[in-house]
Amino acid sequence: MWSGAAFTVQIRPDGGLGLADRGTHDDVPPELVALAAAMGRAELARCTFHWRVPLSGRLCRVVLEARSEHGFDHVVLSGEPVDELPARLSPRELEVLTMLVVGLSNAEIARDLGITQRTAATHVNHLMLKLDAPTRTAAATYALDTGLICVPLPGPAAHYAHLSVGRLVAATDAPVTRRPRVPAPRRELVVGAALPLSGRGSDDGREMVNGLRLAIEEINAAGGVRGRRIRAVVRDVEVSSGASVETAFGSLIRDGVDVLTSGYLAAQEIGHELAAASGIPYLHAATSGAMERMVSGDPARFGRVFQVCASDTGYAPRFVEFLTALRDSGEWVAPSHRLAVVVKHWHGVDFGIGRARVDAEAQGWELDVVPVTGTDDGWTRAIATAVREPAAAVMIGSFFVDDAAAAVTALRALGSTALPYGIYAPSVPAFRHCLGPLADGVVWATTTGTYSDAVGHGFARRYRDRFGVVPGRSHAGLAYDRMQRVARAWASCGDLSDGEGVAAHLRAEPYRGVNGTYNFDTPSQTALGIDDHGDPSLAQPQLVYQIQDGRQVIVGGGPFRTGSFRVPGYLACR
């Protein structure tokens, strides 16, 4: 059955559902998924028609477009509910018009629809008048140009064999085969990592590489995994480029790595698709609700894909929750009842703004969202718009250091009384190095942060001794934990090349690392996140930090707090 909602979703050749740009997977009828999956077998680039829902008779206008983007072949399937057909055609007239397209006579139409020839002629005359078509051929041409063709096709399928939609319907019965991956025997265990070594995000990429390297060195020094050493193969990836993602993943897969890893990627679905097709277990850190839905929507295909941090959908609600708690406790006097979220679009990211709006209204806030547009001074202009009316706090919706630094700089330059609240980016040491004293007082949140306990301090000390610098508070520890977790899964598998066995162990056992507890026993195989009142032995809280006198202090995170919020000095004196 169809929910009646509009939808736009990617469909793979095997019928699996990918990213949904509109609606949800539940809104997509399986009959249309089967047709979309057959586009390649029918050798079609585009097909449009009107689908008539069984039993209810409701109509849905369908557009299918075959695409190949960066090695990811798929079909974009879109459906729109149709309340009224063009020219006020009736559903029966749509069927008759479909039959005119293939040149059927009134007698043939009557026979196939089980109506009289006179009734068939009446339908033909009426639809020609409505379409202002002087001939049957003109009506048929209009139908082909506008997609006014009815599916299921009325009458025998053989009538429509020369039409694209007829070939599509016929192709739905063709079988789909998948080539299994045959792993090559090897003594070493190889971890493939697609990380930003240059370009945007490279400051963070170095943290990820160092965390991975430290974990491998420690594991190998202890004897490796059942006597087998671990080696890393790292490929540079431009995080904003789908082509770069395809190149990096393709290279790692061809190298025959035993596990794939990555940080955050704009074209994250390409990494998912390539990993799934290879059968290699894949652990990424995209903090993406869209990727969660992708995995939970097709567990058979993506059963070896894991997200090692909780979803981004909790960021904006946590922003509202934290500011509300500060206000209500008296730790901070809000200069207005307005909160602003300044967001730079990043493919597949959803900060949970819809839920945050509801939460804000319930707590007496007004929440505004300001998009960042342009490249040169986009953040400066967006921040100026956000604080044109007084704002109590501004959430800076970007994972990148340069974006967050530009936003904080703009707030200070404008003399705004709004409290800056970052997302993840201040975890990277380059943020404080870039801003210097301007970073002091900035509040920021992360779905995965390194704890300030004995385990976290021990990791930070070993990292500093090895690399000569203090690690950031997120991805260095995350990369270290991810490698340790994979090694634990390898050690528990009878066959180290058994990707499904590795995935099963990852799902089955929570793991306590320097960034908290990783629990992948969720429908989307995403590390479980909790609020401040949940059980930290089973999941990770979203930590809130504040930069105080150049130090990172955890001011929100249940039992992992290391200090209290301070009103920034430049605001306290106002």
Side-chain angles (χ1 to χ4, degrees), residues 543-565:
L543 300 180
V544 180
Y545 293 76
Q546 186 180 33
I547 300 173
Q548 299 178 0
D549 301 324
R551 295 174 52 249
Q552 297 281 17
V553 179
I554 303 175
V555 296
F560 305 105
R561 286 182 56 175
T562 59
S564 299
F565 170 81

Side-chain angles (χ1 to χ4, degrees), residues 511-549:
Y511 172 74
R512 171 61 155 93
V514 303
N515 279 31
T517 300
Y518 299 80
N519 185 348
F520 297 119
D521 187 19
T522 62
S524 59
Q525 301 190 155
T526 296
L528 189 63
I530 56 172
D531 60 25
D532 285 355
H533 309 292
D535 185 347
S537 69
L538 295 177
Q540 299 178 57
Q542 185 179 138
L543 300 180
V544 180
Y545 293 76
Q546 186 180 33
I547 300 173
Q548 299 178 0
D549 301 324

Side-chain angles (χ1 to χ4, degrees), residues 97-296:
L97 180 58
T98 300
M99 303 174 90
L100 290 186
V101 169
V102 293
L104 297 187
S105 66
N106 289 350
E108 290 170 318
I109 293 171
R111 180 196 63 213
D112 290 345
L113 294 181
I115 59 179
T116 66
Q117 191 167 334
R118 180 175 180 180
T119 300
T122 299
H123 286 317
V124 170
N125 290 335
H126 284 174
L127 70 85
M128 289 174 62
L129 286 172
K130 290 180 178 181
L131 296 175
D132 194 24
T135 64
R136 296 163 75 101
T137 300
T141 301
Y142 178 81
L144 283 172
D145 289 343
T146 59
L148 272 175
I149 295 175
C150 182
V151 174
L153 295 167
H159 290 329
Y160 305 93
H162 68 285
L163 290 183
S164 60
V165 69
R167 301 206 315 271
L168 181 62
V169 170
T172 56
D173 296 327
V176 179
T177 58
R178 187 181 294 176
R179 187 171 57 189
R181 172 178 177 262
V182 179
R186 184 197 308 109
R187 179 160 181 77
E188 285 184 315
L189 292 166
V190 181
V191 177
L195 302 174
L197 305 179
S198 61
R200 200 160 202 218
S202 58
D203 288 328
D204 217 1
R206 284 191 291 273
E207 297 265 306
M208 302 177 204
V209 170
N210 287 346
L212 170 64
R213 186 183 303 168
L214 181 61
I216 289 177
E217 290 174 358
E218 291 181 358
I219 295 167
N220 285 340
V225 176
R226 288 158 52 185
R228 296 175 68 172
R229 293 180 61 81
I230 302 173
R231 175 171 61 90
V233 175
V234 181
R235 294 287 183 265
D236 190 10
V237 64
E238 168 50 56
V239 294
S240 299
S241 166
S244 181
V245 172
E246 182 200 356
T247 298
F249 274 75
S251 173
L252 293 171
I253 291 168
R254 286 191 297 274
D255 284 345
V257 300
D258 296 286
V259 69
L260 288 161
T261 64
S262 70
Y264 41 85
L265 307 167
Q268 186 62 58
E269 70 275 18
I270 295 176
H272 275 52
E273 294 289 353
L274 294 174
S278 73
I280 302 172
Y282 173 39
L283 293 86
H284 70 92
T287 59
S288 171
M291 294 302 104
E292 287 192 47
R293 294 187 292 273
M294 191 172 182
V295 172
S296 61

Side-chain angles (χ1 to χ4, degrees), residues 10-13 18-19 67-75 246 269-270 273-274 294 301:
Q10 295 174 352
I11 307 294
R12 294 185 295 276
L19 282 184
R67 295 183 184 175
S68 181
E69 297 171 349
H70 314 303
F72 171 32
D73 293 329
H74 63 283
V75 170
E246 182 200 356
E269 70 275 18
I270 295 176
E273 294 289 353
L274 294 174
M294 191 172 182
R301 180 172 177 81

Side-chain angles (χ1 to χ4, degrees), residues 309-387:
C309 37
S311 171
D312 54 5
T313 55
Y315 273 130
R318 178 63 161 159
F319 167 62
V320 173
E321 175 192 345
F322 183 77
L323 271 295
T324 300
L326 286 184
R327 179 197 64 187
D328 293 351
S329 68
E331 295 177 79
W332 169 67
V333 178
S336 80
H337 297 295
R338 183 170 166 271
L339 301 176
V341 178
V342 181
V343 181
K344 187 169 186 178
H345 175 70
W346 177 257
H347 178 67
V349 167
D350 173 8
F351 288 124
I353 291 173
R355 194 175 103 214
R357 286 186 189 277
V358 175
D359 294 348
E361 184 176 357
Q363 298 297 334
W365 298 106
E366 174 189 343
L367 183 68
D368 287 340
V369 179
V370 179
V372 177
T373 58
T375 54
D376 294 337
D377 60 347
W379 278 97
T380 301
R381 287 185 285 105
I383 291 293
T385 300
V387 299

